Amino acid sequence: MKILIHQTKALATDCAASLIAARLNRQPDTVLGLATGGTMEMVYANLIARHRAGEVSFAQATSFNLDEYVGLPETHPCSYWHYMREKLFDHVDIDPGRAFLPHGDAPDAEAEAERYEAAIARAGDIGLQLLGLGLNGHIGFNEPTSSLSSLTRIKTLTRSTREANARYFDDPQDVPRLAITMGIGTILRAQEVVLLAYGAEKADVVARMIEGPVAAACPASALQMHRKVTVVLDEAAAGALELRDYYEQVHPRVGETSS
Ligand code: PGA
């Protein structure tokens, strides 16, 4: 894993966005794996600004999002379809016909998960996968004890995930209990992975992901098995890393040179 520790959240965000922009500039028809959540909002705002400045185009890209709540139609304000349109798709030149998420309101959610997995494979798998990190170590909605070789399927959300996401819903009871999510095996097939985490509350789980054992109890630890992962952190999220000195030796003063 390549561990990049930045001084601030803004620098970490800019770094993650620059990795995506660089990949698109190198390979305009990249298949992007996209994520939602609070962490990604600044990344997408940064990419929109780069797009407006003529620095990056999504015109030839394809995208697959990690997950969607079961039961929410595309038009639901808390659906990830809605999030992606609002935070990114409506503001850049991505072809809406090539920007995919699972359909949470499909009549047969299991069949929809299988269809989505097949669509990803047919597209040649993900080129660059963007990831956030759940407080419980989830990536996508692969909750603790998910099979480390799982494919896209339905997962039951943990109480902690539902609580963390309740802020988006009027009533915490409205947070769906199930989601369709790419599997850990799906994610591990990506050519490269960029995971972004910031804030002190993520420090412990970041340390478990990078320095703990590979274990289904911390699904993100499966990334230790991937050949090309870049973990982008701010100072606070790096706070519990035992080998931090080493990471900063390998990538010195990265926070000062990234912008
Ligand atoms: P967050 O969510 O960006 O809102 O912290 C991350 C995740 O749960 O994957």
Side-chain angles (χ1 to χ4, degrees), residues 37-39 132-134 138 167 202:
T39 308
L133 176 64
H138 74 203
R167 64 190 193 273
K202 297 268 173 84

Side-chain angles (χ1 to χ4, degrees), residues 36-40 132-135 138-141 165 167-168 202:
T36 53
T39 308
M40 297 306 150
L133 176 64
L135 287 170
H138 74 203
I139 45 176
F141 274 135
N165 290 1
R167 64 190 193 273
Y168 297 107
K202 297 268 173 84

Side-chain angles (χ1 to χ4, degrees), residues 138-223:
H138 74 203
I139 45 176
F141 274 135
N142 293 285
E143 301 285 39
T145 72
S146 285
S147 156
L148 299 186
S149 45
S150 49
L151 302 179
T152 306
R153 71 216 182 289
I154 297 169
K155 281 301 288 181
T156 301
L157 304 183
T158 60
R159 185 175 309 169
S160 78
T161 295
R162 292 185 68 232
E163 282 169 5
N165 290 1
R167 64 190 193 273
Y168 297 107
F169 291 79
D170 290 339
D171 181 343
Q173 289 305 316
D174 293 344
V175 184
R177 289 169 193 280
L178 301 175
I180 297 173
T181 181
M182 279 189 206
I184 298 173
T186 321
I187 293 167
L188 292 178
R189 293 202 311 270
Q191 288 165 6
E192 65 178 306
V193 173
V194 173
L195 184 143
L196 173 64
Y198 47 67
E201 85 244 29
K202 297 268 173 84
D204 286 340
V205 71
V206 163
R208 287 174 69 207
M209 165 179 73
I210 296 171
E211 297 174 342
V214 174
C218 179
S221 67
L223 297 173

Side-chain angles (χ1 to χ4, degrees), residues 42-213:
M42 278 170 64
V43 175
Y44 295 145
N46 186 303
L47 285 170
I48 291 166
R50 285 171 190 265
H51 173 66
R52 289 188 177 145
E55 292 167 18
V56 66
S57 169
F58 295 78
Q60 293 179 55
T62 298
S63 73
F64 289 92
N65 263 76
L66 284 164
D67 43 25
E68 178 60 287
Y69 292 113
V70 170
L72 299 194
E74 282 182 31
T75 50
H76 191 289
C78 297
S79 74
Y80 287 156
W81 276 99
H82 187 272
Y83 172 109
M84 288 307 299
R85 286 183 180 133
E86 188 178 83
K87 309 279 188 237
L88 183 68
F89 296 158
D90 286 353
H91 311 285
V92 295
D93 58 349
I94 197 160
D95 176 352
R98 281 206 306 268
F100 304 110
L101 289 89
H103 291 283
D105 61 346
D108 180 343
E110 277 182 36
E112 171 62 6
E114 276 177 37
R115 183 199 65 76
Y116 197 71
E117 178 72 29
I120 293 168
R122 228 178 13 255
D125 284 328
I126 305 296
L128 185 152
Q129 177 68 56
L130 179 63
L131 293 177
L133 176 64
L135 287 170
N136 64 0
H138 74 203
I139 45 176
F141 274 135
N142 293 285
E143 301 285 39
T145 72
S146 285
S147 156
L148 299 186
S149 45
S150 49
L151 302 179
T152 306
R153 71 216 182 289
I154 297 169
K155 281 301 288 181
T156 301
L157 304 183
T158 60
R159 185 175 309 169
S160 78
T161 295
R162 292 185 68 232
E163 282 169 5
N165 290 1
R167 64 190 193 273
Y168 297 107
F169 291 79
D170 290 339
D171 181 343
Q173 289 305 316
D174 293 344
V175 184
R177 289 169 193 280
L178 301 175
I180 297 173
T181 181
M182 279 189 206
I184 298 173
T186 321
I187 293 167
L188 292 178
R189 293 202 311 270
Q191 288 165 6
E192 65 178 306
V193 173
V194 173
L195 184 143
L196 173 64
Y198 47 67
E201 85 244 29
K202 297 268 173 84
D204 286 340
V205 71
V206 163
R208 287 174 69 207
M209 165 179 73
I210 296 171
E211 297 174 342

